[in-house]
């Protein structure tokens, strides 16, 4: 019985290496991330439901600290940040993500429509969960900003993560410099986290509401990324990072 020869530098032929987990058919890393977020969201929901949707001890402590440490300047700054997570701003940013990701007029229009649809459908899922669960907000006397609807999941937190993810995808599709890509994605992540944190700081949400919004948005974005990679959604793919220059001897 003959054994297949190993490839050498002079003869590169030979058996192909086994595919990694992420390369094997039927395995999608974005879907795994989405499933993990859904499980964490379900666990968070179940934990709060067991306590009849009342705030847990850590949530009460975070709320009390926020109310007690809210000087006028900090409250104003938080109100400015939180305003970017609702109203027309997120929808304008979603359209901008599509425009930035496209390479020509037709692709930009198509990508903008997809980005807006992802945001709107994610909001619809979040709204359905909010109405179904109907968790009460903190006492209105503690609010330092206007709020409407129920508390869980946080709309601002969900929206900001969705928009940050869409913009990050556009950045990865167009920017080539590794430093610029990392910096842009880090700033977008910091913005999304800041918007969610201001909802607790301004007293209109419990921390669990914000966590649920982040998990829901991440799960939704991961599903979207899976569909983009499969070619189901016409959104420009992210370009690979620039290759590191070979060392010269």
């Amino acid at each position: 019985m003959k054994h297949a020869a190993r490839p050498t530098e002079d003869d590169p032929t030979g058996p192909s290496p086994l595919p990694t987990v992420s390369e094997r058919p039927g395995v999608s890393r974005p879907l795994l991330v989405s499933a993990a977020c859904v499980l964490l969201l379900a666990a968070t929901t179940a934990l709060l439901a067991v306590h009849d949707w009342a705030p847990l001890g850590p949530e009460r402590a975070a709320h009390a600290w926020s109310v007690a440490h809210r000087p006028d300047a900090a409250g104003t700054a938080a109100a400015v940040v939180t305003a970017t997570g609702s109203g027309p701003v997120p929808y304008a940013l979603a359209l901008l993500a599509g425009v930035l990701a496209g390479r020509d007029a037709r692709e930009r229009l198509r990508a903008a429509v997809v980005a807006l649809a992802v945001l709107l459908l994610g909001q619809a899922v979040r709204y359905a969960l909010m109405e179904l669960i109907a968790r009460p907000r903190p006492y209105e006397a503690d609010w330092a900003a206007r709020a409407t609807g129920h508390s869980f999941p946080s709309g601002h937190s969900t929206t900001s993560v969705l928009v940050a993810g869409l913009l990050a995808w556009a950045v990865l599709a167009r920017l080539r410099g590794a430093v610029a890509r990392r910096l842009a994605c880090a700033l977008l992540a910091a913005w999304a986290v800041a918007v969610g944190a201001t909802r607790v700081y301004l007293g209109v949400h419990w921390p669990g509401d914000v966590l649920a919004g982040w998990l829901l948005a991440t799960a939704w974005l991961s599903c979207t990324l899976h569909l983009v990679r499969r070619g189901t959604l016409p959104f420009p793919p992210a370009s690979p990072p620039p290759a590191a220059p070979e060392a010269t001897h």
Side-chain angles (χ1 to χ4, degrees), residues 159-172:
T159 302
S160 59
V161 171
L162 287 173
V163 171
L166 291 169
L167 284 170
W169 191 251
V171 165
L172 295 176

Side-chain angles (χ1 to χ4, degrees), residues 6 11 26 71 80 88 90 100 102 106 135 143 153 161-162 174 179 228:
R6 292 187 176 183
D11 180 19
V80 171
L100 291 176
R106 183 177 180 180
R135 187 188 193 191
W143 295 5
V161 171
L162 287 173
R174 294 278 72 88
V179 174
V228 169

Side-chain angles (χ1 to χ4, degrees), residues 47-48 51 54-66 135 200 205-209 211:
L47 177 62
L48 293 172
H51 289 81
L56 305 178
E59 291 186 299
R60 291 183 182 275
H63 178 78
W65 184 93
S66 299
R135 187 188 193 191
V200 177
H205 275 291
W206 303 110
D209 308 331
L211 175 62

Side-chain angles (χ1 to χ4, degrees), residues 4 22 29 117 119 123 164 184 192:
S22 60
R29 188 171 297 172
L119 178 58
Q123 289 283 43

Side-chain angles (χ1 to χ4, degrees), residues 93-155:
L93 291 176
L95 291 174
L96 176 63
V99 171
L100 291 176
R103 290 164 292 188
D104 53 44
R106 183 177 180 180
E107 195 173 70
R108 290 188 187 104
L109 177 60
R110 190 169 53 189
V113 170
V114 170
L116 186 60
V118 169
L119 178 58
L120 287 171
L121 289 173
Q123 289 283 43
V125 173
R126 195 274 310 174
Y127 187 83
L129 284 175
M130 182 189 72
E131 290 296 319
L132 177 65
I133 294 171
R135 187 188 193 191
R137 291 182 182 271
Y139 297 116
E140 190 170 353
D142 294 336
W143 295 5
R146 193 179 71 87
T148 58
H150 302 298
S151 192
F152 185 97
S154 165

Side-chain angles (χ1 to χ4, degrees), residues 39-95:
L39 288 175
L40 289 173
L41 177 59
T44 303
T45 305
L47 177 62
L48 293 172
V50 167
H51 289 81
D52 200 24
W53 303 108
L56 305 178
E59 291 186 299
R60 291 183 182 275
H63 178 78
W65 184 93
S66 299
V67 173
H69 298 81
R70 202 160 57 198
D72 291 341
T76 301
V80 171
V81 173
T82 208
T84 62
S86 66
V89 174
Y91 298 97
L93 291 176
L95 291 174

